[in-house]
Amino acid sequence: MVENLTIYKNKKAIIMAFLFLLAFRAAAQETVNTGQLTGNFQTDFQFYNPDSLIGAPVVPEKLLLNAFANVNYTFKNFTAGVRFESYLNALQGYDTRYNGTGIPYKYFQYNNHGLGVTVGNFYEQFGNGMIFRSYEERSLGIDNAMEGLRIKATPYKGILIKGLIGNQRNYFEKGTGIVRGIDGEFTFNDIFESLSTNKTWVSIGGSFVSRFERDKDPIYNLPENVAAAAGRLTVSRGKISLMGEYAYKFNDPSATNNFIYKPGNALYVSGTYSQKGFGVLLSAKRIDNMDFRSSRTATGNDLLINYLPALTKQHTYSFTTMYPYVTQANGEFCMQGELTFNIKKNTPLGGKYGTNFTLNFSKANAIHKAALNDSTAIGQNGTLGYSSDFLKWDGKKYFQDINITINRRLSRVLRSSITYMNYLYNIDVIEGHQGDGIMYGHVGIAEFSLKVSDDNSVKTEIQYLNTKKDDGDWAMLMLEYNIKSTWFLTVIDQYNFGNQDPDKQIHYFNLTAGYTKNANRISLTYGKQRAGVVCVGGVCRRVPASNGFAITITSSF
Amino acid sequence: MKTFTFIIASFFIFTCLKSQEVSDQRTLPIVAIKTLQGANSSTSEITNDGKPIILAFWASWCRPCLKEMGAIAEVYEDWVEETGVKLVAISTDDSRTARNVLPLVNGKGWEYEFYLDENGDFKRAMGVNLLPHTFILNGNLEVVKQFTAFGDGGEVKLIESVREIIEAENQD
């Protein structure tokens, strides 16, 4: 692996030269008819001041930098691309194994007459990703890109087959486990001419994934090949759409399941009904021992083969994202319901411009687990772990969220949005430590935006979080001034007035200014930053706790 | 791996050298996308019969994106009547929230053409980084302009770009 790292870095100079050449071509606006160039660039500089009160550590470098540039070149049926990444050193909050500069992503792709071949790095997903998903989330530092070979084929209308093999990216190295997989999707209405006009649309899919990793364990006899399979069905008719996927994983003792030999399984079902002005979603997911990685010893976000996202609302306000749920891959039962509807304009409830409501409910509980016999504890390593009754309800609560958002335009120039959230957050389970118990909380948010003139607008956000646990109550005021959707200035004060420790009743004051021109953007921020999701000046990203000065430059071409 | 890098590098050089002569504009890459019901589709299905398209990358969890879509909804009928433009909205929601998109957009009453780009393949091919990111395409599906982020009134820039395309076409 060290050798791989060296190769990456040795190649740097050569590939940098090509990148420069290509970037120069882009900058010079030289456009061509024999191919086209796309890509993007982002850099984040941050100057850090130590601040023990907010938990911002001493940063010996004082200045840290993350940067990346993607360049894709398409020529007829061929596409090739590279991504240059630089961490000098990685920003706080990113894994320190992201260090130095390299080209960890490079690919070559060919598409012709229903056949697509990719060599090098690629991202792919089978079904809902329950047994396979390789993807990137740059702002979170997640990237489990495959390096190997992928073939996609459409042998007949309505049939899509994907096959792949490779190793997974692990920061600037590669995992040693080999991942192999095949997926097929069959859409009946396309395959059979007689069904093409049928009102009911049906598609089925199936996938099989296997991982190989040598067994060098001195104690256990571990399976070197671990297989997982999944099947899915999607049916829609008119306003109704239904989806179900079931996944099964053969025994896979690993660090994350405490080396138990129990097979895993997962079921995800979802249904929607919608028409203009009204939409409803109901979904449920049960996961039992489904953590699947290309290395048995990997933990955290490392070398994950599958994707098991939380079935809870993805909030975006600072306080609604303060205590987010994290999927418990070793066992959870989740359900979610969401209702969105419009009340028409010029009605007593809808007002002059109409009103939109979104109600959302989600809940995550433990799954039933029983000891196999009197002498084996639940989850004891080297055993089959436990038995689990699929239909038996376990009352242990992990998370619950009930929230409502009402959007209403109050006048020609004034818009409002009100949100209320009531949540339950099991600190012990979600944060993985004992003794803190369950947190109950409320969040209230009011947002107003006023169009001062055709080119100027002001936005304000007032947020309040009430809880007795952790850091206690918070209040926030945000003001944003926007000129021509080009310049913006944002002032935020988050005040932790309910902290039990009077020294920590701090104002997190933050000032951001930015300029956006077409697909280029620069923003400057100064102040204290609480860890969480921040949305300013029109975009959202996740940031760690810090105190200092930051510059972000992004550009797409 | 060195050989592989060499092949990629050669490909770049080859295309760079070959493409000195003529100029043209960037068009849409052919990438697999899905309908909101989950049916396989492709970017080659995106068309507006020779009229301009606003291609908007968004996500159900991105507040500025929802604002942009909502702001356009209020004037969309007028835009379509005036310019014939079509808004094609590409949701980058992954499997966490992909199933929420269909009831959400219907519940909001938005009448755009929607697709899902669940694993970000189309987003990557277009060089999209931040959301929202909006492209203005002319009738030949060539990228004329692109915008990132959204502030109040940002929708005006989009329709102005569409009007410029139509004016330029009328002059030709």
Side-chain angles (χ1 to χ4, degrees):
Chain A
M1 281 195 235
V2 173
E3 193 189 355
N4 276 337
L5 184 61
T6 320
I7 291 172
Y8 280 140
K9 291 187 176 177
N10 285 346
K11 282 184 297 199
K12 190 183 75 179
I14 307 167
I15 300 188
M16 283 267 296
F18 291 121
L19 279 173
F20 183 74
L21 177 65
L22 291 167
F24 176 74
R25 282 162 47 78
Q29 299 264 309
E30 184 195 346
T31 44
V32 292
N33 76 333
T34 50
Q36 55 191 31
L37 194 66
T38 60
N40 54 40
F41 167 76
Q42 176 168 327
T43 182
D44 295 275
F45 298 89
Q46 172 119 30
F47 299 87
Y48 291 90
N49 296 324
D51 190 333
S52 56
L53 272 181
I54 64 164
V58 176
V59 177
E61 302 94 331
K62 294 199 186 305
L63 163 70
L64 297 175
L65 173 144
N66 283 11
F68 66 84
N70 280 292
V71 182
N72 301 305
Y73 203 93
T74 305
F75 171 64
K76 292 183 178 170
N77 297 330
F78 298 91
T79 307
V82 289
R83 187 190 316 114
F84 150 94
E85 291 178 26
S86 206
Y87 305 89
L88 296 166
N89 282 327
L91 294 182
Q92 290 284 306
Y94 285 79
D95 197 291
T96 50
R97 284 170 286 178
Y98 282 121
N99 82 63
T101 298
I103 318 276
Y105 177 77
K106 48 207 167 301
Y107 71 95
F108 186 84
Q109 198 170 300
Y110 170 78
N111 289 299
N112 197 14
H113 297 105
L115 181 74
V117 177
T118 309
V119 290
N121 298 102
F122 56 87
Y123 298 100
E124 185 55 78
Q125 177 177 324
F126 292 169
N128 290 297
M130 291 208 295
I131 63 167
F132 184 83
R133 186 187 187 205
S134 66
Y135 73 110
E136 55 167 338
E137 196 60 73
R138 304 243 71 79
S139 62
L140 303 177
I142 293 174
D143 189 341
N144 65 347
M146 292 282 285
E147 182 167 308
L149 170 72
R150 173 182 62 184
I151 296 173
K152 283 190 191 185
T154 310
Y156 190 78
K157 201 178 156 210
I159 300 177
L160 175 63
I161 309 286
K162 300 173 192 172
L164 54 84
I165 184 165
N167 304 99
Q168 290 183 293
R169 177 178 178 187
N170 194 26
Y171 305 97
F172 273 119
E173 298 179 355
K174 276 187 299 184
T176 50
I178 302 173
V179 180
R180 295 79 52 103
I182 185 160
D183 181 82
E185 192 157 284
F186 308 86
T187 307
F188 294 128
N189 304 59
D190 292 337
I191 299 170
F192 304 105
E193 198 64 45
S194 58
L195 295 176
S196 62
T197 53
N198 199 302
K199 283 181 183 168
T200 306
W201 180 89
V202 181
S203 163
I204 62 163
S207 38
F208 179 83
V209 175
S210 156
R211 172 208 83 199
F212 174 79
E213 189 192 17
R214 284 203 190 287
D215 174 22
K216 293 175 187 164
D217 196 280
I219 305 166
Y220 299 120
N221 179 15
L222 300 169
E224 293 194 322
N225 288 290
V226 171
R232 59 186 184 271
L233 170 72
T234 311
V235 181
S236 60
R237 185 183 171 96
K239 296 166 183 170
I240 297 170
S241 172
L242 305 168
M243 184 284 301
E245 182 166 12
Y246 178 77
Y248 183 89
K249 184 180 64 128
F250 288 83
N251 73 86
D252 178 23
S254 71
T256 53
N257 72 4
N258 196 32
F259 286 91
I260 61 168
Y261 284 77
K262 187 185 187 298
N265 66 76
L267 176 70
Y268 177 25
V269 289
S270 161
T272 67
Y273 174 90
S274 60
Q275 61 184 61
K276 195 182 175 194
F278 180 86
V280 62
L281 161 96
L282 288 172
S283 49
K285 193 187 239 176
R286 186 186 187 278
I287 300 169
D288 180 4
N289 190 24
M290 274 304 282
D291 194 277
F292 191 24
R293 298 171 195 255
S294 63
S295 165
R296 292 177 203 97
T297 52
T299 56
N301 288 323
D302 301 353
L303 297 170
L304 276 162
I305 298 175
N306 63 347
Y307 181 63
L308 301 168
L311 201 65
T312 55
K313 188 175 177 82
Q314 194 157 358
H315 289 286
T316 47
Y317 285 105
S318 302
F319 288 179
T320 49
T321 55
M322 202 183 285
Y323 298 106
Y325 181 61
V326 180
T327 301
Q328 304 300 307
N330 288 337
E332 68 169 28
F333 178 79
C334 269
M335 55 183 152
Q336 184 180 202
E338 187 165 274
L339 174 67
T340 307
F341 62 97
N342 256 340
I343 295 186
K344 283 188 183 150
K345 55 185 177 187
N346 297 320
T347 56
L349 261 179
K352 191 178 171 190
Y353 300 94
T355 304
N356 189 268
F357 290 79
T358 303
L359 278 97
N360 177 283
F361 168 79
S362 63
K363 188 179 177 67
N365 268 42
I367 55 166
H368 164 260
K369 287 184 183 180
L372 292 165
N373 52 51
D374 294 345
S375 57
T376 313
I378 291 176
Q380 186 175 316
N381 53 1
T383 70
L384 279 170
Y386 54 88
S387 67
S388 181
D389 188 335
F390 199 93
L391 297 172
K392 212 165 185 177
W393 180 251
D394 187 301
K396 189 178 177 190
K397 290 171 181 168
Y398 287 168
F399 185 80
Q400 183 177 294
D401 174 6
I402 304 165
N403 60 79
I404 179 167
T405 298
I406 304 167
N407 287 301
R408 182 163 174 152
R409 190 170 165 186
L410 300 172
S411 75
R412 203 177 54 80
V413 292
L414 183 65
R415 288 161 205 271
S416 69
S417 177
I418 308 288
T419 297
Y420 169 74
M421 173 193 187
N422 175 300
Y423 69 90
L424 175 160
Y425 177 87
N426 189 324
I427 306 172
D428 295 349
V429 171
I430 299 169
E431 296 182 3
H433 48 76
Q434 290 301 311
D436 289 316
I438 289 177
M439 173 195 290
Y440 297 89
H442 307 266
V443 179
I445 298 162
E447 180 185 335
F448 298 95
S449 49
L450 175 72
K451 208 168 173 182
V452 182
S453 68
D454 280 350
D455 291 337
N456 297 269
S457 64
V458 185
K459 189 175 93 171
T460 179
E461 261 177 45
I462 303 152
Q463 303 193 24
Y464 171 61
L465 183 145
N466 165 256
T467 183
K468 291 194 170 64
K469 297 247 177 181
D470 199 32
D471 293 336
D473 294 354
W474 288 79
M476 171 182 147
L477 178 68
M478 187 265 257
L479 283 169
E480 183 173 301
Y481 196 81
N482 191 305
I483 306 167
K484 287 186 172 179
S485 185
T486 302
W487 295 91
F488 74 87
L489 179 69
T490 308
V491 184
I492 299 174
D493 183 21
Q494 296 189 351
Y495 180 30
N496 190 192
F497 69 97
N499 202 307
Q500 301 278 331
D501 180 351
D503 290 341
K504 289 190 174 174
Q505 291 178 0
I506 304 165
H507 285 273
Y508 287 69
F509 188 75
N510 195 299
L511 184 70
T512 303
Y515 174 71
T516 309
K517 170 90 177 162
N518 298 340
N520 300 324
R521 190 167 194 274
I522 178 164
S523 71
L524 301 112
T525 303
Y526 182 76
K528 290 179 184 178
Q529 190 70 69
R530 185 182 61 77
V533 175
V534 173
C535 296
V536 275
V539 290
C540 301
R541 63 182 286 263
R542 284 169 202 263
V543 290
S546 63
N547 180 352
F549 177 67
I551 305 173
T552 298
I553 303 167
T554 60
S555 175
S556 287
F557 52 87
Chain B
M1 276 320 285
K2 278 190 173 167
T3 320
F4 183 65
T5 311
F6 177 74
I7 293 168
I8 289 192
S10 310
F11 174 72
F12 278 131
I13 296 187
F14 172 72
T15 49
C16 291
L17 291 177
K18 247 202 108 185
S19 56
Q20 294 299 313
E21 326 97 18
V22 205
S23 85
D24 203 344
Q25 262 172 326
R26 180 181 151 190
T27 56
L28 289 187
I30 305 299
V31 181
I33 46 178
K34 290 195 165 195
T35 66
L36 295 191
Q37 280 85 3
N40 288 315
S41 189
S42 162
T43 52
S44 59
E45 304 278 317
I46 296 173
T47 170
N48 190 23
D49 300 325
K51 288 179 187 146
I53 288 178
I54 298 171
L55 182 73
F57 284 81
W58 70 293
S60 70
W61 46 262
C62 158
R63 249 188 308 142
C65 304
L66 297 177
K67 279 199 172 163
E68 179 172 34
M69 303 284 237
I72 295 172
E74 288 173 12
V75 286
Y76 191 55
E77 268 180 47
D78 297 339
W79 285 11
V80 174
E81 199 178 313
E82 180 197 336
T83 62
V85 72
K86 174 155 95 178
L87 195 151
V88 177
I90 310 294
S91 151
T92 59
D93 284 80
D94 69 18
S95 62
R96 173 169 181 181
T97 45
R99 296 283 305 169
N100 299 51
V101 178
L102 178 65
L104 172 81
V105 301
N106 275 331
K108 296 269 186 193
W110 295 337
E111 294 187 321
Y112 315 133
E113 186 170 307
F114 287 96
Y115 293 96
L116 275 176
D117 180 31
E118 238 183 297
N119 210 28
D121 295 335
F122 190 22
K123 185 179 148 191
R124 255 188 299 280
M126 292 297 284
V128 170
N129 180 18
L130 303 173
L131 292 179
H133 192 125
T134 308
F135 295 87
I136 309 294
L137 312 180
N138 66 16
N140 300 322
L141 302 176
E142 292 163 339
V143 175
V144 177
K145 263 194 180 162
Q146 51 180 318
F147 301 97
T148 189
F150 179 80
D152 278 326
E155 71 276 12
V156 178
K157 286 183 189 171
L158 306 180
I159 193 63
E160 278 172 2
S161 305
V162 170
R163 287 182 188 128
E164 280 168 20
I165 292 173
I166 291 170
E167 273 167 32
E169 279 171 1
N170 288 344
Q171 280 170 8
D172 286 344

